[in-house]
Structure formats: structure tokens, C-alpha cells
Amino acid sequence: KQEVTQIPAALSVPEGENLVLNCSFTDSAIYNLQWFRQDPGKGLTSLLLIQSSQREQTSGRLNASLDKSSGRSTLYIAASQPGDSATYLCAVRPQTSGSRLTFGEGTQLTVNP
Amino acid sequence: SQTIHQWPATLVQPVGSPLSLECTVEGTSNPNLYWYRQAAGRGLQLLFYSVGIGQISSEVPQNLSASRPQDRQFILSSKKLLLSDSGFYLCAWSQGLATDTQYFGPGTRLTVL
């Protein structure tokens, strides 16, 4: 059974700092890995999708990497801003489960002005 | 462009009452549709998914059911709510390919008293 773990569970940083969020998964047989952002009481917003054949994806100040063989992904946020404060979730799409996603429990990020 | 709607946004229901949550998608055809639940302090749990009209797969045994009466409509129901049904319910869609991004709706906050 695929399990997804995110470390740390919570993170508080000063504005302007570069930071890394970690995600690990137990079964490397995946189609892709997706990073989401969730603001309090809101739905999920897709940030980046990395296919299993890719090593990284970039969007603005965000860069996500994937090391499928070791079961790890990182989300790098450059020059963090208070508006980045949210919970960040990673999810994998296992090859054995069709189109269903398995989620981690998220990292709650607070960027202090 | 595609949009996904959920209603109601919030709901407070007594134990034993029925439930009907609705999700609709615009701007696409034959999407895969998903219902997730996010309970306090827990990650997202996939409840149901559907690859077409009338086709529903259940991920976990529970007090809930799902139906897809139309191509872009997905309904989550219960005949008698339990306290444990409280949570944040999210609907999502994808284009149907295993490599595609999942897009989430704004969610419904359900409180069972």
C-alpha cells in the first residue's frame, strides 16, 4: 500500500527566506507526483505536476524535484512571502490504482513579515 | 476554461438526517470525478471516484454513497448522517488520463451535531 509522508508538519520562517518542503513515498511505481496548496477553509490549488519520467518542474518561485527511485520529492520556494502562507500537500498517483491520488498530510507553512 | 462548482459551501445537519452534496464541472466532457473527505488533523481520503455516467467505485466502506446522473454531475449522499461524517468534502476532476492533473472544487464544510 502506498504511503506518503511530509516533513515537517509545520514550518515558520521570516519573509525572504528560501525554504524546502519534503515529501516521501513508499512505492516508486507511480505515474506522477503533484504538489498542491490549500488555504484555510478552501479547496486545493494545483501548483506543479511532475511526471514519473521527469526530474523537476518550475513555476515562478516554485521548483519541485522528483527522485522516483528513492521515493522523494522536494518543493523549493524561493524568496518566501507572507502570501505563501498555506498548507502544502503532495500527492502521488500510484500505477496500481488507476487515476486515484494518495496524499500526504501536508506541511503548514507560515511566512512572517 | 474548465470550472468546478460545489454546493452548499457549508452545512450543519443533525445526526440521523439525510445528506446531498452536489458537484458540477463545466468546460469539459467525460471527466473522471472524485469525492474526497478531509477530517480535522487528517489528510485527504478518497471516498468515491467515477470514470463515467453511472460508474461509481467506492474506496472505503462507510455511511455514504455517490451517484453520477449526468456526465458532469457528481452527488454525494447519505440516508442517515453520523457524527463521524463531519469534515471538509472536496470534489475533484481530471481529464481521465493517469498522467493528468486533478483539479479541486472549493469544498463543502459539513458539521454533524
Side-chain angles (χ1 to χ4, degrees):
Chain A
K1 178 185 174 183
Q2 178 74 266
E3 293 183 0
V4 180
T5 303
Q6 291 187 246
I7 295 173
L11 181 64
S12 181
V13 301
E15 181 177 4
E17 193 163 297
N18 301 325
L19 56 98
V20 174
L21 307 181
N22 296 293
C23 173
S24 61
F25 47 96
T26 55
D27 186 349
S28 62
I30 63 171
Y31 285 119
N32 55 50
L33 182 145
Q34 198 165 352
W35 282 94
F36 295 89
R37 168 186 172 137
Q38 185 177 29
D39 292 292
K42 304 293 185 182
L44 277 65
T45 300
S46 179
L47 297 174
L48 291 165
L49 173 72
I50 311 177
Q51 304 295 351
S52 61
S53 60
Q54 297 174 326
R55 296 285 293 183
E56 66 178 343
Q57 283 287 329
T58 298
S59 175
R61 294 183 292 108
L62 305 179
N63 176 277
S65 67
L66 174 64
D67 184 342
K68 196 176 70 167
S69 61
S70 67
R72 295 182 180 180
S73 176
T74 61
L75 179 66
Y76 175 82
I77 302 177
S80 58
Q81 303 171 358
D84 294 330
S85 299
T87 296
Y88 291 80
L89 297 158
C90 77
V92 299
R93 184 169 290 180
Q95 291 181 0
T96 55
S97 67
S99 59
R100 308 192 289 284
L101 291 176
T102 301
F103 281 84
E105 294 197 7
T107 294
Q108 185 174 356
L109 172 66
T110 303
V111 181
N112 301 300
Chain B
S1 65
Q2 300 87 9
T3 56
I4 179 169
H5 304 280
Q6 286 186 246
W7 63 89
T10 60
L11 191 59
V12 180
Q13 292 285 94
V15 169
S17 63
L19 173 73
S20 180
L21 304 181
E22 188 165 345
C23 170
T24 59
V25 181
E26 297 177 354
T28 186
S29 60
N30 196 31
N32 280 1
L33 296 172
Y34 311 84
W35 277 112
Y36 291 86
R37 177 169 59 202
Q38 189 175 37
R42 300 181 61 183
L44 272 78
Q45 180 185 36
L46 179 65
L47 302 175
F48 301 95
Y49 74 98
S50 171
V51 298
I53 295 175
Q55 301 179 60
I56 308 295
S57 295
S58 174
E59 288 294 295
V60 293
Q62 57 204 318
N63 185 42
L64 303 168
S65 62
S67 62
R68 185 170 177 175
Q70 300 180 38
D71 182 45
R72 290 168 288 176
Q73 184 184 31
F74 205 22
I75 297 173
L76 183 69
S77 303
S78 174
K79 292 182 179 179
K80 290 185 178 181
L81 284 169
L82 306 172
L83 287 173
S84 58
D85 292 324
S86 293
F88 192 49
Y89 289 82
L90 290 159
C91 180
W93 74 274
S94 67
Q95 196 49 65
L97 299 177
T99 54
D100 276 3
T101 299
Q102 283 194 13
Y103 299 95
F104 283 75
T108 294
R109 173 73 60 190
L110 172 65
T111 303
V112 182
L113 301 175

